[in-house]
Amino acid sequence: MKKILFYCQNLLGMGHLVRTTELMRELVKTFEVCLIEGGQKVDGFEILPEVEVVQLPTIQVEVSDSLQVGKQLQVVGSTMSLAEVKEYRKEKLIEVFDRFQPDVLITEGYPFSKNKALAFEMVPLLEHIKQSARTTKVICSLRDIIMVKEFADRDAEEQRRCEFVNQYYDAILLHSDPTIHRLEDNISTAEYLTCPVYYTGYVVQSEPDRVEFDPADLAILNDPTPKIVISVGGGKLGHDLLDSIIQAAPLLQQQISHRIIIFAGPLMDEAKYQELEKLAQGKTNISLRRFTPSLIAYLDRADLSISLGGYNTTMNILKTGVRSMIYPSDKDREQAIRAEKLEKLGLLKMIDRSQLDPELLARSIVDYLADDATLDFEHLIQLDGAEKASMILHGLLESNVKSVTPTIEIVASGAKSAYAD
């Protein structure tokens, strides 16, 4: 059985790990998989038992009061200094590679995401692979929308990262539907890439294999009262949305029969969570929770989802077909770009900051729920990214691109072509 070594590092939320886990769910069917993970652990989020997990000392980025990402890495849950953690992690990556001897190394997001922050450990590993006798294929696993931050010289930065990929990587798996969003929509210098870019379609979460609903879950899920599900991913962002929803709850209670279920996020600061608990006191139409591993089960039963617009949350919305309102995070333009494109297709409704006034928000929710338009998301958008990614990897290892999948679009050196059986 061929071996795949996955490298995944969340520095802020948990989106990279969620997408990686879904890819691994498909890959373990035909590959031996090992995950190197260095982000903050989330209680209740389980990695597949078939996957060997190597947990690195945790690092993350600081977040300021304005909810913008800071520039400094910090160590979490260790007495080692940042310099010591960096040195340990760098050596551990090479040690695991030599022990596991993978046929494929997949780096989630890197080098287009967290390029400078993770160079301390990734460049030594990639150099080690390049100089080793193994013929390991190095693959970048990439979400749909990348590099949305401001750069002093954007063209130069784009070209630098493309050249880095050309130096170390054999292919890119782009987890997007090319009819919705293409690499060149973000990277104007994509023609500099010499490695192929494979569009897999979107990677969508599956319901966990082993779910044990507690009595509180069962009571909510089996309650026939119409449900509005609120979620903000890991919980480091979106606090203003949650505040507004809770304040709008009494106004909604006067107009519609419903129950609001809020998932505040497993990574939310405890002090902020306690603020939300205090704000929600006495509001009988609100259930406040931190996290559920079964968000899809809630969305399946929901009349409306209101959330931030991260990749995985948006894919959950498309998978379940739930009516959705998206409030894009102001961390950068990634979520807004995705939401704008899907709103143009009529698949969701965007909320902007000016609509967070509780009275305006309540009115918008009531009006949107009254809209009876329906769409079949699965026929509009490619949502089988994990399955296609597995097929592509098998094809690459067999050196037979034409056997990858009937309709995988490949972009290389600026040329576009479709490979078919």
Side-chain angles (χ1 to χ4, degrees):
M1 185 178 286
K2 299 289 187 180
K3 297 180 179 181
I4 293 180
L5 178 62
F6 244 110
Y7 169 90
C8 179
Q9 173 65 60
N10 287 299
L11 290 178
L12 180 61
M14 52 187 294
H16 291 290
L17 181 60
V18 171
R19 186 167 49 255
T20 292
T21 299
E22 192 56 39
L23 287 167
M24 293 190 301
R25 189 185 307 280
E26 183 66 30
L27 294 176
V28 294
K29 298 175 182 178
T30 51
F31 291 97
E32 183 178 346
V33 180
C34 175
L35 170 66
I36 300 177
E37 208 273 312
Q40 191 169 344
K41 290 185 177 180
V42 174
D43 291 339
F45 185 89
E46 296 184 0
I47 304 297
L48 302 167
E50 300 92 337
V51 175
E52 177 189 347
V53 180
V54 177
Q55 181 68 43
L56 300 175
T58 301
I59 56 174
Q60 65 179 25
V61 292
E62 299 174 349
V63 181
S64 72
D65 292 338
S66 63
L67 302 183
Q68 298 298 319
V69 180
K71 295 181 179 180
Q72 297 299 318
L73 291 175
Q74 60 182 7
V75 179
V76 178
S78 174
T79 58
M80 289 191 288
S81 68
L82 180 59
E84 291 171 332
V85 165
K86 283 184 172 182
E87 185 62 26
Y88 176 87
R89 285 172 55 117
K90 180 181 70 174
E91 294 177 356
K92 189 67 174 179
L93 286 179
I94 294 174
E95 174 192 318
V96 173
F97 175 84
D98 288 342
R99 173 183 61 79
F100 191 66
Q101 298 187 14
D103 299 281
V104 179
L105 168 69
I106 300 178
T107 63
E108 165 58 32
Y110 189 87
F112 290 101
S113 175
K114 309 172 182 67
N115 178 265
K116 294 180 181 178
L118 300 176
F120 73 90
E121 62 187 11
M122 288 307 302
V123 172
L125 174 62
L126 294 172
E127 279 291 332
H128 180 76
I129 294 171
K130 194 172 182 180
Q131 296 169 15
S132 71
R134 290 196 59 79
T135 57
T136 300
K137 291 189 179 296
V138 181
I139 310 293
C140 172
S141 174
L142 209 56
R143 74 183 181 203
D144 55 347
I145 299 169
I146 58 172
M147 291 188 67
V148 289
K149 297 177 182 178
E150 296 295 328
F151 298 98
D153 186 341
R154 185 172 182 86
D155 287 345
E157 184 63 27
E158 288 181 2
Q159 186 169 348
R160 184 183 71 80
R161 298 199 193 190
C162 288
E163 289 172 351
F164 187 92
V165 170
N166 293 342
Q167 182 177 1
Y168 293 111
Y169 284 75
D170 296 290
I172 295 172
L173 298 182
L174 188 59
H175 306 305
S176 177
D177 182 333
T179 66
I180 305 295
H181 194 87
R182 301 182 61 85
L183 183 64
E184 56 267 31
D185 291 344
N186 285 130
I187 306 292
S188 62
T189 58
E191 69 270 13
Y192 290 109
L193 289 170
T194 56
C195 71
V197 178
Y198 298 86
Y199 287 86
T200 68
Y202 290 108
V203 175
V204 181
Q205 282 181 269
S206 303
E207 189 69 17
D209 295 330
R210 296 173 303 281
V211 180
E212 294 184 5
F213 294 113
D214 63 27
D217 282 317
L218 291 174
I220 294 172
L221 291 171
N222 292 329
D223 184 349
T225 304
K227 299 171 183 60
I228 300 174
V229 176
I230 318 295
S231 61
V232 290
K236 293 290 184 72
L237 306 170
H239 300 173
D240 50 351
L241 174 63
L242 299 184
D243 290 342
S244 182
I245 288 288
I246 294 174
Q247 292 176 60
L251 301 173
L252 288 169
Q253 194 167 27
Q254 296 171 12
Q255 301 179 66
I256 57 175
S257 172
H258 70 288
R259 184 172 188 173
I260 300 172
I261 304 102
I262 298 175
F263 295 106
L267 304 180
M268 177 178 283
D269 180 77
E270 180 60 28
K272 178 59 187 176
Y273 188 73
Q274 290 178 5
E275 287 180 18
L276 293 178
E277 286 184 314
K278 185 175 181 180
L279 190 61
Q281 282 180 357
K283 297 178 175 65
T284 57
N285 56 337
I286 289 180
S287 297
L288 177 63
R289 309 275 292 278
R290 265 197 174 274
F291 173 74
T292 175
S294 302
L295 182 60
I296 290 176
Y298 278 88
L299 294 180
D300 269 331
R301 293 163 174 80
D303 290 75
L304 177 65
S305 166
I306 304 176
S307 67
L308 297 185
Y311 183 100
N312 297 297
T313 299
T314 305
M315 295 310 112
N316 287 340
I317 290 164
L318 297 180
K319 175 185 175 70
T320 59
V322 64
R323 190 180 306 276
S324 173
M325 301 175 77
I326 292 288
Y327 176 60
S329 162
D330 62 356
K331 178 173 71 70
D332 53 42
R333 280 279 297 160
E334 174 228 332
Q335 295 191 9
I337 292 170
R338 183 181 299 112
E340 287 164 1
K341 292 196 171 194
L342 294 175
E343 185 178 49
K344 287 180 180 178
L345 294 174
L347 300 180
L348 53 82
K349 178 180 175 60
M350 287 182 64
I351 305 171
D352 63 38
R353 185 175 294 275
S354 67
Q355 295 172 297
L356 287 189
D357 172 83
E359 186 173 340
L360 291 177
L361 183 58
R363 186 184 310 153
S364 182
I365 289 171
V366 171
D367 290 346
Y368 193 48
L369 282 170
D371 185 351
D372 59 0
T374 59
L375 283 170
D376 187 350
F377 295 153
E378 292 192 17
H379 286 86
L380 286 172
I381 301 176
Q382 296 176 25
L383 300 177
D384 55 351
E387 294 88 343
K388 285 186 178 177
S390 180
M391 296 170 69
I392 291 166
L393 290 170
H394 277 290
L396 288 172
L397 289 174
E398 294 167 3
S399 298
N400 183 6
V401 172
K402 288 189 177 183
S403 69
V404 170
T405 185
T407 55
I408 292 295
E409 185 174 8
I410 300 174
V411 178
S413 302
K416 303 175 185 176
S417 59
Y419 286 68
D421 281 338

